[in-house]
Amino acid sequence: GAVVSQHPSWVICKSGTSVKIECRSLDFQATTMFWYRQFPKQSLMLMATSNEGSKATYEQGVEKDKFLINHASLTLSTLTVTSAHPEDSSFYICSARGSGRTSNQPQHFGDGTRLSIL
Amino acid sequence: RKEVEQDPGPFNVPEGATVAFNCTYSNSASQSFFWYRQDCRKEPKLLMSVYSSGNEDGRFTAQLNRASQYISLLIRDSKLSDSATYLCAVYTSGTYKYIFGTGTRLKVLA
């Protein structure tokens, strides 16, 4: 099945640090990737939709200058949390949707990145 | 009203029981529907897509009711390993994004 790789899986760093998370589709081309955040015991919250070769579309309330998204190729999207603070600590998960024409394309998730800001 | 709603549970059932979850959606233009399973502190994993005519995969059966705007997941002969949170996801092509429900927690008890 489709594989999405996310790296790193765990990050612990000091407040004010910028953290970059990579999301790769390993065996398919992903024209669209999604970035989610999940706080403990809560649902996945979509942060932004990343489209290859164009600007990401951010959900309401998500600061685009704080969460920088780059989707430079069909297999890689990156999320950079700039100047991270303790309230940014969360589980960040990327997903990728294949480039097939049918609308019934599921998305496949990376392993997630657990970010802890001290 | 939330776009996608699920009963958060938990549903506590004994091994071998049959359990069903529903997920309602508000956008009648939604096209594609999926069930995911998420274990604690892990990423969601696709369980099955939901097709208009309903579909079955082993002990799992998914159905779609467009008229009432809900999807369902039925698990037969529950196993301890089925304990997880089950998330429904709805894709609407006009929005180009997937909306997830909050998930339903299932605990299968020995």
Side-chain angles (χ1 to χ4, degrees):
Chain A
V3 179
V4 176
S5 171
Q6 189 172 338
H7 177 81
S9 56
W10 200 295
V11 179
I12 302 174
C13 56
K14 293 180 179 180
S15 185
T17 306
S18 292
V19 178
K20 186 176 183 179
I21 304 170
E22 292 187 349
C23 182
R24 294 180 185 273
S25 57
L26 298 183
D27 56 357
F28 67 103
Q29 292 184 327
T31 53
T32 304
M33 289 185 174
F34 302 90
W35 287 97
Y36 294 86
R37 182 166 55 182
Q38 187 176 37
F39 292 105
K41 298 189 178 181
Q42 293 188 26
S43 183
L44 292 166
M45 296 302 297
L46 179 65
M47 298 175 67
T49 302
S50 171
N51 295 297
E52 187 267 334
S54 63
K55 290 183 179 180
T57 304
Y58 289 81
E59 294 301 298
Q60 194 173 11
V62 179
E63 299 174 57
K64 60 181 67 176
D65 294 331
K66 181 166 184 67
F67 299 99
L68 300 177
I69 292 173
N70 184 279
H71 193 156
S73 76
L74 284 170
T75 59
L76 174 64
S77 175
T78 61
L79 168 68
T80 301
V81 184
T82 61
S83 187
H85 292 286
E87 59 267 27
D88 298 322
S89 299
S90 187
F91 189 45
Y92 291 85
I93 316 174
C94 73
S95 70
R97 182 171 186 264
S99 54
R101 296 189 176 198
T102 62
S103 63
N104 204 30
Q105 294 275 338
Q107 53 181 325
H108 302 277
F109 288 88
D111 294 339
T113 297
R114 202 159 296 282
L115 177 62
S116 295
I117 307 298
L118 306 176
Chain B
R1 182 186 173 188
K2 290 183 181 178
E3 289 187 68
V4 179
E5 292 195 78
Q6 292 182 255
D7 181 341
F11 284 54
N12 297 323
V13 302
E15 266 188 294
T18 295
V19 62
F21 312 131
N22 281 347
C23 168
T24 59
Y25 60 96
S26 62
N27 190 339
S28 59
S30 298
Q31 293 179 287
S32 306
F33 309 89
F34 309 92
W35 282 104
Y36 285 82
R37 170 196 169 125
Q38 185 175 28
D39 293 293
C40 188
R41 300 173 75 84
K42 297 282 189 180
E43 79 281 12
K45 292 189 185 298
L46 179 66
L47 185 63
M48 57 199 304
S49 301
V50 186
Y51 300 118
S52 298
S53 55
N55 47 303
E56 189 174 304
D57 183 2
R59 298 182 293 110
F60 299 86
T61 300
Q63 291 195 313
L64 167 64
N65 185 318
R66 284 196 184 272
S68 300
Q69 294 184 199
Y70 73 87
I71 62 171
S72 63
L73 177 67
L74 180 81
I75 305 175
R76 289 183 298 278
D77 188 23
S78 299
K79 311 290 184 191
L80 293 175
S81 56
D82 293 334
S83 297
T85 296
Y86 291 84
L87 300 163
C88 63
V90 176
Y91 178 79
T92 306
S93 63
T95 65
Y96 302 104
K97 59 187 179 184
Y98 300 78
I99 303 297
F100 282 83
T102 52
T104 298
R105 284 180 60 206
L106 170 67
K107 293 184 181 179
V108 180
L109 309 171

